Amino acid sequence: MAFVAFCQASGYTYLPATTETVACYLGFIFERGTVAPGTLQSYLTPVNAVHALMQMERPAIGPLLIALRHSYARAYVNLTGGLRCKRLPLPAAVLLRFAHLGLTTADAGLRRRLAGLVMTGLTFSRPGGGANLRRKDVTLTGDNIKVQIIDNKHGARTDRERILIDVPRRGDGKHDAPFRLVHMHMSAVGMATADGDQPCFSPVGDLRALPTEVATVWMREALYMLDVHPPDGGVYAGHSLRAGAVTGYRAIGGELDVCAQLMGMKDKSTDVVSAAYVDALAVANDAARELYDRFLRAQR
């Protein structure tokens, strides 16, 4: 869809597309400045796949594309000063501030977007899976939010089983701003529409799927409003929510195998969770406890 939109805006033919058109698309992606060379293939594979499905020659392969990708990598390195910024887990304290902002703002649109970020963090989701939850995927009770996460990778649904997560309210009258924000927003969605296909974090009546990048856009809006900046050499992006959730849960004593289950990792691989998501230097704090000690109680 992104490739088609680019071609329509630029006056190019998208089916069949030429290698030269794909080269221009790479230039467009480069100008955005947000796509690292290592993730470039996920933007090209769908273009090839559709052409192969239509029995057309795939345009995003061959010597020219190989040379362009090498050039893209060199230009990206020059642009970022030699080393690209490291994507960091979003600190639990920042996600908790998102929840408090969502509860106090009078802007309904901002509250909806912040609820989407908090829900994604509470459910250990990939950005696409959290952003595209539908009304029928979420069930509310007084003290629980039951969520069915459809596995969503590289902006597309996969055929894996749904991930079922029960998000309980913290007990004993403890502060629980994240639960309150998400529960309040989902209650409002339920009262506004009976359509089960209504995306939870889109305006009511808009049934279009949201792109994966929307989580990054929402996050940068919230970070700007709260004047939060990543450490030097780091960057916060949509996947920072998932890494932040795992890091926060692990810091307060959560087990790696539970992290893998909550994340829906294939074969529940704790090695991948530990190596790719957990910041081993993170320390436990009150924000992490408010967000994630609910799952420690659920274990017991």
Side-chain angles (χ1 to χ4, degrees):
M1 291 174 64
F3 179 70
V4 169
F6 163 76
C7 290
Q8 290 176 333
S10 305
Y12 298 126
T13 300
Y14 53 84
L15 196 65
T18 65
T19 301
E20 289 77 12
T21 298
V22 176
C24 294
Y25 183 51
L26 290 184
F28 168 74
I29 293 173
F30 178 77
E31 289 175 355
R32 287 168 49 186
T34 59
V35 179
T39 60
L40 198 57
Q41 186 60 43
S42 63
Y43 290 81
L44 301 179
T45 297
V47 177
N48 283 330
V50 172
H51 281 74
L53 183 67
M54 301 300 293
Q55 298 184 343
M56 296 176 178
E57 186 175 347
R58 292 176 294 171
I61 59 174
L64 177 59
L65 256 294
I66 293 174
L68 283 170
R69 292 183 64 170
H70 286 311
S71 297
Y72 185 104
R74 288 194 297 270
Y76 189 89
V77 168
N78 291 334
L79 182 68
T80 57
L83 292 172
R84 63 188 176 102
C85 292
K86 179 179 176 60
R87 186 178 63 203
L88 301 174
L90 187 74
V94 176
L95 187 60
L96 188 59
R97 291 183 66 188
F98 289 176
H100 286 295
L101 179 60
L103 288 170
T104 56
T105 183
D107 184 334
L110 176 61
R111 184 184 306 114
R112 181 184 69 245
R113 296 189 291 275
L114 291 168
L117 293 172
V118 173
M119 173 69 101
T120 301
L122 280 177
T123 54
F124 297 73
S125 300
R126 292 187 176 94
N132 283 298
L133 283 173
R134 298 162 299 175
R135 185 183 183 276
K136 63 185 178 185
D137 297 326
V138 182
T139 302
L140 300 180
T141 66
D143 293 319
N144 293 80
I145 303 172
K146 299 182 183 296
V147 187
Q148 301 181 65
I149 304 290
I150 296 177
D151 198 66
N152 194 298
K153 192 169 185 179
H154 297 314
R157 291 181 179 179
T158 69
D159 61 355
R160 295 180 187 172
E161 293 181 348
R162 290 169 178 251
I163 305 166
L164 306 179
I165 297 181
D166 184 1
V167 182
R169 187 193 298 271
R170 297 179 81 208
D172 304 323
K174 295 178 180 178
H175 292 296
D176 200 351
F179 186 95
R180 287 172 52 211
L181 173 63
V182 173
H183 198 283
M184 179 176 68
H185 172 73
M186 292 308 308
S187 297
V189 172
M191 290 187 290
T193 178
D195 189 345
D197 290 322
Q198 171 65 47
C200 297
F201 306 111
S202 296
V204 173
D206 186 349
L207 302 183
R208 293 173 297 177
L210 293 168
T212 300
E213 294 82 4
V214 76
T216 300
V217 175
W218 292 350
M219 182 185 298
R220 289 178 177 169
E221 175 191 28
L223 292 172
Y224 176 80
M225 295 184 69
L226 295 172
D227 196 27
V228 174
H229 305 277
D232 290 344
V235 64
Y236 296 136
H239 239 72
S240 297
L241 289 164
R242 187 166 162 93
V246 177
T247 295
Y249 179 70
R250 183 67 173 147
I252 62 172
E255 298 293 335
L256 278 175
D257 58 345
V258 177
C259 290
Q261 180 175 334
L262 289 168
M263 297 171 73
M265 297 295 290
K266 186 177 181 181
D267 301 324
K268 296 183 175 62
S269 173
T270 56
D271 291 340
V272 173
V273 173
S274 181
Y277 291 94
V278 175
D279 179 359
L281 299 178
V283 297
N285 55 43
D286 290 341
R289 294 185 185 93
E290 183 168 346
L291 283 158
Y292 302 115
D293 70 359
R294 69 190 77 242
F295 297 110
L296 295 178
R297 288 195 309 110
Q299 281 181 254
R300 294 194 294 268

